[in-house]
Amino acid sequence: DASQQILKEDLLEIDYCKIQKGDLLFFSETNHVNHVAIYIGGNKIIHSSGSVKIEILKENKELNRKLYKIMSIKSLFND
């Protein structure tokens, strides 16, 4: 689940301005990480909440409000 995924040691927290395709966006509610999405470029994310959705994060006020951390996956591919 998302609360365990955010603890992966190889992930590096980054600012929104540095986000790249494949990076993970974690969302929380009441101080508990409960959702994760993948950045796919063009200010869009893909995530599943009942069904798979592609959304523009800045247009979804609820998700934007719950955004907790953005984590880069880049270090997972560096040997």
Side-chain angles (χ1 to χ4, degrees):
D1 96 345
S3 64
Q4 294 172 329
Q5 294 168 349
I6 197 170
L7 301 175
K8 176 81 172 119
E9 293 175 7
D10 295 331
L11 298 178
L12 176 66
E13 185 175 358
I14 59 170
D15 291 327
Y16 188 82
C17 64
K18 295 183 179 181
I19 197 167
Q20 295 181 348
K21 290 179 184 177
D23 288 340
L24 304 176
L25 296 89
F26 289 91
F27 302 88
S28 71
E29 194 166 13
T30 61
N31 295 323
H32 176 73
V33 174
N34 62 355
H35 193 66
V36 64
I38 302 168
Y39 184 72
I40 59 172
N43 294 314
K44 295 179 182 176
I45 60 170
I46 186 167
H47 64 117
S48 177
S49 181
S51 63
V52 176
K53 300 174 187 173
I54 295 176
E55 300 187 74
I56 298 174
L57 180 62
K58 292 180 181 183
E59 292 180 0
N60 186 320
K61 291 180 182 178
E62 182 180 351
L63 278 180
N64 205 21
R65 179 179 54 81
K66 294 178 181 180
L67 182 60
Y68 176 66
K69 284 186 181 179
I70 302 171
M71 306 295 275
S72 173
I73 65 168
K74 192 174 188 177
S75 64
L76 293 173
F77 302 102
N78 294 336
D79 291 357

